[in-house]
Amino acid sequence: FKLLKISNMKKHVIYFMMLSVLALFSCKKEYKINKAATVDMSGEWWVQIYSEDDSTLQYDFSDLEGSLITSNTSADVNTELLVNLPSGTFGPFAFKVKAPIDYASTSFKLGTSLLNLNDSIAGITIHEGKIWKNAATAPSLHKTDSIRLVVEYVEDEPGVKYIFRGYKDTGWPEDRH
């Protein structure tokens, strides 16, 4: 009588194991990852601000107390990019704009006056802007992307251009300022 119960138990264990193996192999699903339309131009950037002559450093990383952020807009199109220098970063230079871009060349479309979404009054103009892939070396010695923007604060300082230059955050602690 005990042998019969053991053999039935063994049967149930074997059936359970076979079903488990079949269940594992039958659940193979492939997931498609949806990328944001501007993934190659999005990121956190550690920038310095230079005067219009592009050689005089006006504000260093430590002066800004934060980073420039580029990201996809809610429209999820590859023709515009949200560019944000938060107000907590550096008050006089803070802005947030939807900038028109040429995604294929990783550059900004030039000369367009853009509304500053932070205050809805002042505007900026991006006179020049480009992102280069793997063109910078961060303090950690890792290769990363480089950014350069030439910005004019139209209402606040018409005719004065500032150059934002920097590198994309790598995630390494020594690269963060």
Side-chain angles (χ1 to χ4, degrees):
F1 186 96
K2 285 189 175 190
L3 289 176
L4 182 61
K5 283 190 174 187
I6 292 173
S7 65
N8 278 341
M9 182 69 95
K10 284 183 181 179
K11 269 188 195 178
H12 291 298
V13 168
I14 291 171
Y15 286 138
F16 177 74
M17 288 175 49
M18 287 175 47
L19 286 174
S20 297
V21 169
L22 286 173
L24 285 173
F25 288 110
S26 67
C27 291
K28 185 177 179 182
K29 281 188 177 183
E30 292 192 30
Y31 292 97
K32 183 180 177 189
I33 297 172
N34 292 328
K35 286 185 178 178
T38 58
V39 67
D40 290 336
M41 292 180 74
S42 297
E44 183 176 12
W45 305 88
W46 297 101
V47 296
Q48 295 171 304
I49 301 175
Y50 291 83
S51 61
E52 193 169 354
D53 67 6
D54 205 8
S55 64
T56 305
L57 179 63
Q58 292 195 331
Y59 299 99
D60 199 8
F61 300 114
S62 59
D63 297 324
L64 297 177
E65 300 173 5
S67 58
L68 178 78
I69 299 165
T70 57
S71 61
N72 201 34
T73 64
S74 60
D76 194 26
V77 294
N78 69 354
T79 56
E80 66 183 12
L81 188 68
L82 192 63
V83 182
N84 185 13
L85 184 64
S87 58
T89 301
F90 194 63
F93 289 98
F95 65 86
K96 183 178 190 177
V97 296
K98 284 184 184 179
I101 59 169
D102 179 0
Y103 187 69
S105 67
T106 62
S107 61
F108 293 80
K109 292 188 177 174
L110 312 176
T112 307
S113 185
L114 305 168
L115 179 64
N116 187 347
L117 300 173
N118 284 337
D119 62 18
S120 300
I121 299 170
I124 70 163
T125 299
I126 296 177
H127 290 282
E128 184 182 327
K130 176 89 175 130
I131 293 173
W132 293 273
K133 293 292 170 194
N134 294 317
T137 302
S140 65
L141 303 180
H142 289 91
K143 292 300 268 180
T144 188
D145 298 346
S146 175
I147 191 168
R148 184 174 188 274
L149 291 173
V150 179
V151 174
E152 175 186 359
Y153 294 84
V154 180
E155 279 81 20
D156 297 333
E157 295 182 273
V160 178
K161 296 176 185 162
Y162 293 95
I163 299 170
F164 291 75
R165 289 190 335 214
Y167 63 90
K168 191 173 189 177
D169 184 46
T170 63
W172 290 93
E174 57 267 37
D175 295 339
R176 301 185 68 85
H177 294 276

